[in-house]
Amino acid sequence: MYGTPRYNYSLEATANSTLPPLINAVEIHSLMLLTEMMTDLGDLEAIMGIREQYQMKRNWMGDPCAPKKYSWDGVSCNRSATAPRITALNLSSSGLTGHISTSFSMLKAITSLDLSYNKLNGTIPDYLASLSSLKVLNLTGNCFSGPVPDVLLKRSTSGLLTLRTDNGTSKCNNGLSPDNISKKKKITTPVIVVISIVPLVLLAVALSTLCILRRRSQDALPLIEEVPERKMDVQDHQLQFESKQFTYMQLANITNKFERIIGNGGFGTVYHGYLEDSTEVAVKLLSETSGQGRKEFLAEAQNLTMVHHKNLVTLVGYCNDGEHLALVYEYMAQGSLYDYLRGRTGHDRALSWRERLHIVLEAAQGLDYLHKGCKLPIIHRDVKTSNILLGQNLEAKIADFGLSKTIIGNAQTQVSTMVLVGTPGYIDPEYYKTWKVGEKSDVYSFGVVLLEIITGEPPMVEGKGMVHILERVKPALIRGDITKIVDGKLHGRYDVNSVWNVLDLAMNCIEENSAQRPTMAEVIMQLKDSLNLENAHERGDELYSEDTPISEKSAFVDLSASFGPSAR
């Protein structure tokens, strides 16, 4: 093959063809030399057993951990050992049915296992307690029956395991113990009494509402419908956290007396700290002068305990000690996407286009989970580059749920608010007009984020007043000059088609009419297409680099010779 200097191809029209021939792609297969070791045999046998039992529909092909670039979805591995070990498995909302597989007991190095929001049934097996490395076990949202094994409860109460369950009850109403059934019978009579007075209560509420409406109309104020929110009074309703509770003194020790500040927000200050096992954490402490109240702060805490996804920040624990209220969550070592784009991270180099695509793709997956993966869909309401945090390997996670709002009801796609919330430059203009926010409001904000990664510029800059990023992009967009739009720090190292694809997506996201905007699921699909284009571009650069032997270069098809303009 290497001895052949060139291959010529020709396309001929069929008898009933009315158009000239057209070729838009050539697929080239090449061998890859894998330098990474295959997954530990014990872990490999376990994960294959899990795949077989649950008939996993994910793209679980080949080796789970190697190569790193193509590791299985939901599987995290430690590659520092001789053979990679599976350390985390996220199968949340994966449609799993039946009992918990015994294969899980073979994952001896696993530290986190998330089986939440599936349809698993039967009893919770006590052999899960034999996994000595397991630190987090999430079993919420399943159909289990019977009590939680004592050995798991002991590990949880001793602080060795973060255990999330449904307190032994089944969401499927098929696993109630005899005690629960008898209690259910005992409350039958009071329920009948309560039902009998419901019409009277509804009548009283209707009359009260009518009075309020009349009073408001007399004051000539616009009426904005308010959707009931979850009530979270610290004194009357203790949050049902499943994470570790810290005292204020413990937080002082963790942060070395609140020595290092790593961020500030509407709630207060965020400090860096270390747990006893040297795990790095971020401690968000509510300040006394916070513009946001304890209710909003607790809303963030409540949301963090309810949602679990690899692209959402994980809650480690909380503090509710007298006047002191704080959240302790995983530390994201590389700061925020905003910091990286603004050059505030201390790193000499800028993010490549491929890295930027990876980051926004993962952020989009986190938002899509909030919109569609949660039991009650959640609108973030403050999507921006400073709320996209980056881990050690630039993995992206959505943070700051303080302004988020739950959508009540399956058919409802918007909620009304009395106060404008969000960050200038990212706020949906339709929100200004209607005071209603929905999933498409987050999509608009994400569109601004996409414009930021393309241009490297903030959403608002000083000019004649404050000039929005869209207004700055429009002139070059009309001229079709992509070079005037793309961040100069990329130095032209990007696939032009990939950038145009993302720019087109961004413009669709910020459509004035929210109904014309894509969903986050559609955003994810287009970002994956853009990433594929960039990956192909980078592989092409490698194939035609100056170091490539001439004999290898000649093995590739010279399309320009066979398909010039005249062939089109």
Side-chain angles (χ1 to χ4, degrees):
M1 180 177 180
Y2 292 132
T4 305
R6 177 174 298 176
Y7 288 91
N8 292 318
Y9 292 84
S10 62
L11 297 178
E12 294 184 6
T14 60
N16 59 351
S17 175
T18 59
L19 297 174
L22 172 67
I23 184 170
N24 60 9
V26 171
E27 184 175 308
I28 300 174
H29 295 266
S30 61
L31 294 175
M32 293 176 58
L33 178 63
L34 300 181
T35 58
E36 301 174 44
M37 295 291 292
M38 66 180 293
T39 302
D40 174 82
L41 289 178
D43 289 359
L44 183 61
E45 182 181 352
I47 199 69
M48 291 300 183
I50 293 167
R51 183 181 71 172
E52 180 67 23
Q53 177 166 334
Y54 298 117
Q55 295 294 301
M56 297 298 296
K57 302 300 183 183
R58 300 186 181 191
N59 187 21
W60 280 15
M61 302 294 289
D63 189 276
C65 299
K68 179 180 179 181
K69 183 178 178 181
Y70 301 103
S71 58
W72 289 7
D73 182 32
V75 177
S76 299
C77 304
N78 177 8
R79 296 174 175 82
S80 61
T82 304
R85 301 300 304 270
I86 295 176
T87 56
L89 189 55
N90 184 353
L91 299 180
S92 177
S93 304
S94 297
L96 307 185
T97 59
H99 293 66
I100 292 182
S101 174
T102 56
S103 297
F104 288 110
S105 64
M106 300 168 60
L107 297 172
K108 300 300 183 183
I110 194 166
T111 60
S112 175
L113 177 59
D114 189 347
L115 301 176
S116 61
Y117 302 105
N118 288 293
K119 295 181 181 179
L120 296 170
N121 54 34
T123 58
I124 299 174
D126 55 8
Y127 56 69
L128 293 175
S130 66
L131 298 173
S132 57
S133 299
L134 192 61
K135 304 296 182 186
V136 178
L137 177 60
N138 188 357
L139 301 175
T140 56
N142 282 287
C143 307
F144 297 120
S145 58
V148 178
D150 290 339
V151 284
L152 283 174
L153 291 175
K154 287 179 180 178
R155 286 196 62 186
S156 177
T157 54
S158 63
L160 298 175
L161 176 69
T162 299
L163 179 63
R164 301 186 176 103
T165 67
D166 292 319
N167 299 319
T169 61
S170 168
K171 72 171 185 178
C172 305
N173 298 322
N174 62 0
L176 297 176
S177 66
D179 289 340
N180 287 333
I181 293 171
S182 64
K183 290 177 183 177
K184 186 176 179 180
K185 289 181 179 178
K186 290 177 182 178
I187 65 171
T188 302
T189 302
V191 168
I192 293 173
V193 175
V194 171
I195 291 174
S196 67
I197 67 171
V198 166
L200 295 177
V201 174
L202 291 176
L203 179 60
V205 170
L207 291 174
S208 300
T209 304
L210 183 60
C211 292
I212 293 172
L213 291 175
R214 287 180 176 177
R215 199 175 298 127
R216 287 186 178 181
S217 62
Q218 289 172 357
D219 295 336
L221 291 175
L223 177 64
I224 301 176
E225 180 186 1
E226 182 71 10
V227 174
E229 298 186 55
R230 293 186 296 270
K231 302 297 181 182
M232 280 177 283
D233 192 314
V234 181
Q235 304 300 326
D236 299 333
H237 175 62
Q238 178 66 33
L239 286 173
Q240 299 301 312
F241 283 114
E242 295 146 339
S243 303
K244 184 175 180 180
Q245 184 171 5
F246 296 91
T247 65
Y248 182 74
M249 289 301 296
Q250 286 175 318
L251 294 186
N253 291 331
I254 289 171
T255 59
N256 194 21
K257 298 181 179 179
F258 306 100
E259 178 183 39
R260 179 184 166 193
I261 298 176
I262 57 175
N264 289 282
F267 293 123
T269 307
V270 183
Y271 300 91
H272 179 267
Y274 291 93
L275 299 181
E276 292 180 359
D277 61 358
S278 299
T279 300
E280 289 184 275
V281 293
V283 179
K284 179 183 288 189
L285 190 65
L286 179 65
S287 67
E288 295 180 0
T289 59
S290 171
Q292 307 292 337
R294 292 172 69 89
K295 179 180 177 182
E296 287 84 357
F297 192 84
L298 290 172
E300 177 176 5
Q302 188 76 9
N303 283 325
L304 284 169
T305 62
M306 292 169 58
V307 296
H308 308 284
H309 189 273
K310 65 179 181 179
N311 298 125
L312 299 175
V313 167
T314 300
L315 182 70
V316 176
Y318 71 104
C319 171
N320 187 9
D321 187 358
E323 295 300 316
H324 302 291
L325 189 65
L327 295 177
V328 182
Y329 52 95
E330 63 178 316
Y331 174 67
M332 302 299 285
Q334 298 290 350
S336 70
L337 176 58
Y338 177 89
D339 293 333
Y340 242 110
L341 293 175
R342 302 291 103 74
R344 297 182 180 180
T345 58
H347 297 282
D348 295 332
R349 70 170 186 85
L351 291 170
S352 69
W353 177 243
R354 184 172 178 274
E355 288 171 331
R356 299 183 194 204
L357 284 177
H358 261 295
I359 289 169
V360 293
L361 174 58
E362 291 182 331
Q365 290 171 169
L367 277 177
D368 182 56
Y369 180 80
L370 289 178
H371 292 175
K372 302 300 182 185
C374 296
K375 191 173 182 180
L376 290 176
I378 294 176
I379 309 166
H380 189 288
R381 297 207 291 171
D382 199 22
V383 177
K384 55 185 177 181
T385 50
S386 58
N387 279 338
I388 300 176
L389 302 185
L390 306 177
Q392 189 61 50
N393 297 317
L394 294 181
E395 62 275 16
K397 299 192 179 188
I398 297 289
D400 203 345
F401 295 90
L403 299 178
S404 63
K405 203 172 186 71
T406 302
I407 301 177
I408 308 298
N410 294 329
Q412 190 168 351
T413 58
Q414 289 187 324
V415 290
S416 302
T417 65
M418 297 294 293
V419 180
L420 189 69
V421 294
T423 301
Y426 297 93
I427 300 176
D428 179 4
E430 198 171 86
Y431 181 20
Y432 284 109
K433 300 175 183 177
T434 65
W435 290 86
K436 291 184 177 181
V437 292
E439 295 170 2
K440 295 299 182 72
S441 302
D442 283 349
V443 172
Y444 177 90
S445 303
F446 192 79
V448 177
V449 169
L450 293 179
L451 289 179
E452 280 191 81
I453 69 160
I454 295 171
T455 64
E457 299 177 1
M460 304 290 288
V461 296
E462 290 283 354
K464 294 180 179 179
M466 296 300 290
V467 183
H468 192 267
I469 190 170
L470 177 59
E471 299 304 317
R472 306 197 301 273
V473 166
K474 270 184 177 179
L477 185 61
I478 294 172
R479 295 193 303 270
D481 189 354
I482 195 74
T483 60
K484 299 297 183 182
I485 299 174
V486 180
D487 187 355
K489 293 191 289 293
L490 290 174
H491 302 292
R493 299 190 188 99
Y494 51 82
D495 179 76
V496 174
N497 292 325
S498 175
V499 176
W500 272 115
N501 201 36
V502 177
L503 183 57
D504 176 66
L505 175 61
M507 300 305 292
N508 288 334
C509 288
I510 59 178
E511 281 280 355
E512 186 172 349
N513 183 354
S514 61
Q516 296 178 359
R517 300 171 196 161
T519 64
M520 287 311 302
E522 293 169 332
V523 169
I524 290 171
M525 291 178 61
Q526 194 160 338
L527 285 176
K528 286 182 177 179
D529 289 341
S530 300
L531 185 57
N532 288 335
L533 288 170
E534 179 61 20
N535 287 337
H537 174 74
E538 290 187 4
R539 287 196 299 270
D541 286 347
E542 292 172 4
L543 292 172
Y544 291 100
S545 66
E546 294 180 1
D547 297 328
T548 304
I550 295 176
S551 60
E552 290 186 25
K553 290 181 181 179
S554 64
F556 298 102
V557 179
D558 184 359
L559 294 178
S560 61
S562 301
F563 302 105
S566 60
R568 299 287 297 273

